[in-house]
Amino acid sequence: MDKKILITGAAGFIGSHVIRLFVTKYPNYMCYNLDALTYAGNLENLKDICDLPNYQFIKGDITDTEFIENLFQEYKFDGVIHLAAESHVDRSITDPLAFIRTNVMGTANLLNAARNLWKGNYEGKRFYHVSTDEVYGTLGPTGLFTEKTPYAPNSPYSSSKASSDLLVRAYHHTYGLNVTTSNCSNNYGPKQHDEKLIPTIIRKCLSGQ
């Protein structure tokens, strides 16, 4: 295989689409799906690619520092696409510490393991961090955010994602880690968890509510 790519949270909604794209489009890349299989993760999302030779599932928690460090040293990943996150705003209000553990500490573990593995040699290596536009706060009268919009998170969820964004930035400026961060707006489509807005509205409509 030309490259070994770790994709975190790839049993979830967006992650399952990302890893499917990589596995099918780049048969010369070995793609590893790291997922803790919490309520939002479902391997049924990937049953069509689970037997392909360039796909492997690894069950594990990104908040487990020792596990993550050993995983990187064992598999020698060339790249990381980091999607694993607690992402539901309402859940973050009732259990904020879970979001801090996963989104902040989990991201820090991955960054540090990548730094320890790559040891300053970042040619052909990249850490891609998938974030959210919610780090910019409430959408104002302009109707849009840009990369220059000041951070103004308003929920434990968006605050935890803003924190992880800043960690990624710091590992680039402090250690030279080759990073990319994308702050995408809301996504929807097949395999989205039914707690999200559009699935909830559809479900309410179908039940006459």
Side-chain angles (χ1 to χ4, degrees), residues 139-156:
L139 192 62
T142 61
L144 55 85
F145 298 122
T146 74
E147 289 86 349
K148 295 182 179 180
T149 302
Y151 275 29
N154 293 320
S155 70

Side-chain angles (χ1 to χ4, degrees), residues 81-119:
I81 303 176
H82 177 34
L83 293 124
E86 296 283 354
S87 65
H88 192 49
V89 174
D90 291 350
R91 285 180 182 267
S92 80
I93 294 169
T94 58
D95 189 6
L97 293 184
F99 283 68
I100 293 167
R101 282 192 297 271
T102 299
N103 298 351
V104 182
M105 288 305 303
T107 301
N109 284 337
L110 292 165
L111 287 165
N112 215 48
R115 179 177 73 93
N116 290 338
L117 174 63
W118 298 335
K119 299 184 184 301

Side-chain angles (χ1 to χ4, degrees), residues 13 39 87-89 187 192-201 203:
F13 162 45
Y39 77 96
S87 65
H88 192 49
V89 174
N187 293 271
Q192 187 169 27
H193 195 277
D194 64 6
E195 72 183 359
K196 300 296 185 176
L197 176 62
I198 291 177
T200 296
I201 291 173
R203 190 173 62 255

Side-chain angles (χ1 to χ4, degrees), residues 9-105:
F13 162 45
I14 300 176
S16 63
H17 290 289
V18 171
I19 199 166
R20 179 178 293 101
L21 172 66
F22 268 73
V23 167
T24 55
K25 188 174 182 178
Y26 304 105
N28 56 324
Y29 286 11
M30 187 67 201
C31 298
Y32 299 88
N33 170 9
L34 174 62
D35 202 295
L37 294 183
T38 61
Y39 77 96
N42 186 356
L43 290 178
E44 285 293 306
N45 291 341
L46 296 164
K47 60 184 179 182
D48 57 316
I49 65 167
C50 65
D51 293 325
L52 294 181
N54 63 326
Y55 168 84
Q56 182 176 335
F57 171 68
I58 302 169
K59 185 175 182 180
D61 190 340
I62 61 173
T63 67
D64 185 335
T65 305
E66 183 178 0
F67 167 76
I68 291 297
E69 186 65 34
N70 290 337
L71 189 72
F72 273 69
Q73 293 300 323
E74 177 181 356
Y75 287 92
K76 311 294 185 189
F77 304 117
D78 299 294
V80 178
I81 303 176
H82 177 34
L83 293 124
E86 296 283 354
S87 65
H88 192 49
V89 174
D90 291 350
R91 285 180 182 267
S92 80
I93 294 169
T94 58
D95 189 6
L97 293 184
F99 283 68
I100 293 167
R101 282 192 297 271
T102 299
N103 298 351
V104 182
M105 288 305 303

